[in-house]
Amino acid sequence: MAFTLQYLIIFSLCILYVESTDPSAQLCNENSNTTTSEIKKNIDSLLATLVQATSKSGYSATSLGSGQSRVYGLAQCRGDVPSDECSTCIQTAAKEITKVCPDRVDARLWYEYCFIRYNTENFFGQVDTGYGTFYYNVENVTDPKTFNSALGGLMYRINSLASTPGNKGIAKDETKLSDFVTLYALSQCTQDLSQLSCKQCLAIAVGNFPTYCDSKKGCRIIYSSCYVRYELYPFFFPLDAKSALESSSMTNYVSVIKNIEF
């Protein structure tokens, strides 16, 4: 099967703060079909349903309509995020996604605290790593050998936990590198994935570390089916004011968009 591989590298040339109301990534699939009036109506109803359900439980996957106008949708908050932050994020995402992609049936929008997508094709339960956005800190650690060893062990632990039934696809943990330095990491899959599929997605995500994040002080790998992140500061909840500011800062970060179109 022929495919094209596209990369877009965006360099951060100034200090940039990414709040929970600013998208981390977005996709409007120009190769997907255009919307019809019936599909648009189903999308609007679907988004309202997703917002209501996800605000309560942190996750929802459902479909509306019939035949070629049927639309499938999924929304999920990061599992450590408080319910009020989740609700605010998913409401914003549902409002903005049709602006980002007004006339295509395949749209996806990522925020730091939540993710939402819809499509006229059933994507539930499928590992989707065809489109990804990667962020990495341009600064390197001072002891790569020790750091990469600790990172590998930490990611192995939390990826195993995230894919364990009952954990809702998420795990977070930390490990001390020294008396003064701690490494923090979080992994999450969308809850429609099976245990095996979650493991597969997280393995693919972490597999990007040597290429994009080798010895870097921080990294985020964002896919439609999973998400991994590590930093040398606390970024998952509960957060104090200082940590909250650090977790939203993208100073010294570069983003890479990887898009495989089949």
Side-chain angles (χ1 to χ4, degrees):
M1 184 178 296
F3 65 87
T4 60
L5 180 60
Q6 301 176 345
Y7 293 94
L8 174 62
I9 301 178
I10 305 171
F11 291 92
S12 301
L13 300 178
C14 60
I15 295 177
L16 172 66
Y17 291 100
V18 179
E19 304 292 348
S20 59
T21 53
D22 297 325
S24 300
Q26 61 189 49
L27 172 64
C28 181
N29 187 353
E30 296 297 333
N31 291 327
S32 65
N33 293 330
T34 55
T35 55
T36 64
S37 58
E38 183 67 21
I39 289 175
K40 286 184 177 180
K41 185 176 75 171
N42 288 339
I43 288 173
D44 290 340
S45 297
L46 177 73
L47 291 174
T49 300
L50 290 174
V51 167
Q52 183 178 24
T54 307
S55 295
K56 294 178 180 178
S57 65
Y59 166 76
S60 179
T62 189
S63 64
L64 285 176
S66 60
Q68 294 183 341
S69 297
R70 188 174 187 179
V71 183
Y72 300 83
L74 182 150
Q76 181 167 310
C77 289
R78 212 176 71 189
D80 63 307
V81 174
S83 58
D84 58 335
E85 296 278 4
C86 172
S87 180
T88 299
C89 184
I90 211 65
Q91 287 181 55
T92 300
K95 178 182 177 182
E96 295 298 321
I97 192 169
T98 52
K99 296 178 183 178
V100 169
C101 197
D103 59 358
R104 296 290 174 175
V105 299
D106 180 8
R108 313 170 201 187
L109 193 58
W110 293 260
Y111 290 79
E112 183 57 32
Y113 294 163
C114 66
F115 166 62
I116 193 167
R117 70 178 295 191
Y118 58 77
N119 199 335
T120 51
E121 295 184 8
N122 186 356
F123 57 84
F124 296 157
Q126 301 177 24
V127 176
D128 188 345
T129 56
Y131 178 90
T133 299
F134 311 153
Y135 290 94
Y136 63 88
N137 194 313
V138 295
E139 295 184 357
N140 292 327
V141 296
T142 56
D143 185 356
K145 184 176 180 180
T146 300
F147 177 83
N148 289 328
S149 176
L151 176 63
L154 180 59
M155 296 310 303
Y156 177 82
R157 292 198 305 274
I158 65 172
N159 284 359
S160 296
L161 289 171
S163 59
T164 299
N167 287 341
K168 297 184 177 181
I170 185 171
K172 56 182 180 175
D173 202 357
E174 60 191 68
T175 186
K176 272 195 168 294
L177 302 180
S178 71
D179 291 340
F180 307 102
V181 181
T182 301
L183 176 62
Y184 303 84
L186 180 147
S187 296
Q188 183 169 21
C189 294
T190 54
Q191 292 185 45
D192 61 313
L193 295 186
S194 67
Q195 181 180 7
L196 181 60
S197 294
C198 179
K199 285 183 177 180
Q200 180 184 354
C201 189
L202 294 175
I204 293 171
V206 172
N208 289 290
F209 283 0
T211 303
Y212 300 99
C213 311
D214 187 34
S215 304
K216 300 301 182 182
K217 289 185 175 180
C219 181
R220 308 179 196 186
I221 305 294
I222 304 170
Y223 283 130
S224 298
S225 295
C226 63
Y227 164 93
V228 295
R229 180 181 179 184
Y230 73 80
E231 305 286 356
L232 291 176
Y233 54 79
F235 65 89
F236 41 72
F237 285 89
L239 289 172
D240 56 29
K242 180 176 181 294
S243 298
L245 180 61
E246 287 180 323
S247 71
S248 64
S249 173
M250 292 301 292
T251 306
N252 297 326
Y253 271 79
V254 168
S255 66
V256 178
I257 296 174
K258 182 180 179 182
N259 186 15
I260 301 176
E261 296 178 338
F262 291 94

